[in-house]
Amino acid sequence: MTTPPAPRLRPGRPAWAGRNYTLLTTAAVVTGLGNAGALIAAAFAVLEAGGDGGDVGLVAAARTLPLVVFLLIGGALADRLPRHRVMVAANSLNCVSQAAFAVLVLSGEARLWQMAVLSALGGTGQAFFAPAAEGMLLSSVDGEQAARAFALFRMGMNGAQIGGAALGGALIAVVGPGWVLAVDAAAFAIAGALRALLDVGAVPRREPGGGMLQDLREGWREFTGRPWLWSIVVQFSVVNAVVGAAEAVFGPLVAEEHLGGARPWGLALAAFGVGTLLGGLLMMRWRPRRLLLAGSLCVLPLALPSAALAVPVPVPALVAVMFLVGVSMEVFGVSWMTALRQEIPEDKLSRVSAYDWFGSVAMLPLATALAGPAEQAFGRSASLWGCAALILALTLAVLTVPDVRGLRRRETTTPVTGTTPVTEGGPVAATDAGPEPVSPR
């Protein structure tokens, strides 16, 4: 009797990259390519329809508002239903809304209110998709290799954003924004088909809950019961807002008046993107023992771009600053995702992710809207120095939280089923067996 050959790994796929992880990463890259170009295309579609800068902001706000409103419901739903079904349904909504947007633009009959409504539908889809996708990704990787997997996933996403923005800009110049929106609709269709193939057989069956409100309360208790979690989310609710205001409002103005226009500002943003790729490569090999301490220290450089714009520094210095920030933010991002994967029970991952997303985006529209009045009241330079000071103050405050300093990586992780918060010197610190080898949020 012939002994069957031992199964071999598929060439080019590491042992820790399972089927679900590979499907999720591939689908994320596909939609990342489409979305990066579509964001630019939507702005140019508004301008081609006769709108101005305010109208562009209105359409962008129309997407953000439902994202904020429906995120928590999306997180509760994703922990109640099979996550891949929520993801596919959200992708279908995004595909239909972007296809309708493309048809309107290509027909030359697009109206501002129509573009705002379709953008709002896209934001609604994102609100339901994001918590389900993060919960699915966090539960798709082995605990020992989670950081490496998250670093590679983020590298794929960041690379897709860079390539998609460049390709989208070129296509808009050649064929117009309508076709770029159509490509994004096709990308959502492809990604939805890939996500429909996800295998959820190994995901533990969730017990029926007591209703949507009960699910939201359980998620809230999980969120507020962990000081490291809510303190960093509160930190980033402000950090993301001021960084968004600085980059979306002040950055282009400083570039236009002092740096030579849009080209050097685009170069600085590209340097940030390249930095994120290098940061991902770094986190493929580096495994900081104190996850959140290393990650939070790497948030401090996020104050540098606002300070550089406040001076303002020459273009080469700004490019170097943005590159450094890109690297440091990937250290934080991979560390954060690894901490969530390690500490949050699998059946609550999407609800916790929803609170995380909510905190990250809730204040962004307000900060962007207040950037102009702040400049008039305090001056541009003072407003930018204020942004930098807020980032430093909040990050230093977070570093005083014992759980942030003390939460440590576990060499071997098992699915978390309890809800007891981990404190410094508690379960996580106790499992640490000494310094870890340097290798892979």
Side-chain angles (χ1 to χ4, degrees):
M1 178 172 151
T2 304
T3 303
R8 293 184 298 176
L9 291 173
R10 186 170 298 178
R13 181 192 293 183
W16 44 265
R19 181 173 181 270
N20 278 1
Y21 173 83
T22 303
L23 286 170
L24 288 167
T25 302
T26 303
V29 169
V30 170
T31 51
L33 285 168
N35 286 341
L39 290 173
I40 304 171
F44 277 93
V46 174
L47 295 175
E48 286 190 2
D52 56 18
D55 294 327
V56 172
L58 178 63
V59 172
R63 179 178 179 85
T64 305
L65 181 60
L67 176 61
V68 173
V69 170
F70 292 113
L71 261 173
L72 299 183
I73 297 174
L77 193 67
D79 276 340
R80 176 176 286 267
L81 302 176
R83 292 184 181 123
H84 70 306
R85 293 184 182 175
V86 178
M87 295 165 69
V88 171
N91 282 168
S92 300
L93 176 59
N94 286 128
C95 175
V96 171
S97 63
Q98 287 295 73
F101 203 156
V103 169
L104 283 173
V105 173
L106 290 171
S107 70
E109 300 297 328
R111 301 288 184 268
L112 180 63
W113 71 268
Q114 295 169 326
M115 292 186 281
V117 168
L118 291 171
S119 291
L121 288 176
T124 302
Q126 181 68 10
F128 286 91
F129 172 82
E134 188 158 333
M136 194 74 194
L137 176 66
L138 293 176
S139 63
S140 71
V141 297
D142 178 75
E144 296 182 20
Q145 299 293 341
R148 181 174 291 179
F150 297 147
L152 182 60
F153 178 86
R154 290 174 66 92
M155 285 175 62
M157 283 291 297
N158 291 327
Q161 291 289 330
I162 296 169
L167 182 60
L171 286 175
I172 289 169
V174 176
V175 298
W179 288 109
V180 176
L181 292 166
V183 169
D184 190 37
F188 276 117
I190 295 170
L194 290 172
R195 288 161 176 148
L197 301 175
L198 291 167
D199 180 10
V200 295
V203 178
R205 185 178 297 275
R206 298 175 181 84
E207 296 296 329
M212 183 70 69
L213 290 178
Q214 177 63 27
D215 287 349
L216 289 172
R217 283 194 292 268
E218 287 182 3
W220 178 250
R221 284 196 296 268
E222 193 70 36
F223 175 76
T224 57
R226 300 175 185 270
W228 63 267
L229 177 60
W230 64 257
S231 63
I232 290 179
V233 170
V234 170
Q235 171 201 11
F236 268 86
S237 68
V238 179
V239 168
N240 281 342
V242 298
V243 168
E247 292 189 356
V249 180
F250 297 133
L253 293 174
V254 172
E256 182 67 28
E257 295 178 15
H258 300 285
L259 303 179
R263 185 173 182 179
W265 180 239
L267 182 62
L269 294 178
F272 174 84
V274 174
T276 63
L277 296 179
L278 183 61
L281 285 173
L282 171 65
M283 294 306 289
M284 289 283 290
R285 300 191 60 83
W286 183 39
R287 295 169 57 117
R289 182 174 57 175
R290 297 200 181 198
L291 287 167
L292 297 180
L293 177 61
S296 295
L297 287 172
C298 286
V299 178
L300 292 172
L302 204 58
L304 292 176
S306 295
L309 291 170
V311 174
V313 300
V315 173
L318 180 61
V319 168
V321 163
M322 295 295 283
F323 175 80
L324 172 64
V325 171
V327 175
S328 65
M329 286 313 298
E330 280 309 288
V331 176
F332 171 80
V334 174
S335 299
W336 178 248
M337 292 182 72
T338 305
L340 291 177
R341 164 65 178 79
Q342 178 176 289
E343 300 299 323
I344 305 301
E346 194 280 334
D347 64 331
K348 297 181 177 65
L349 279 172
S350 290
R351 277 169 284 178
V352 169
S353 295
Y355 283 108
D356 181 12
W357 268 82
F358 182 84
S360 297
V361 303
M363 293 184 64
L364 186 57
L366 177 62
T368 304
L370 291 178
E375 181 181 16
Q376 294 177 355
F378 308 110
R380 184 185 304 160
S381 180
S383 298
L384 284 164
W385 282 116
C387 290
L390 272 173
I391 294 169
L392 290 175
L394 287 166
T395 304
L396 292 173
V398 160
L399 287 168
T400 67
V401 177
D403 287 3
V404 172
R405 300 193 309 272
L407 192 147
R408 304 190 186 198
R409 178 192 304 274
R410 282 181 263 180
E411 285 289 349
T412 303
T413 59
T414 54
V416 181
T417 56
T419 58
T420 304
V422 177
T423 58
E424 185 172 23
V428 171
T431 60
D432 184 77
E436 293 183 343
V438 178
S439 59
R441 160 194 166 343

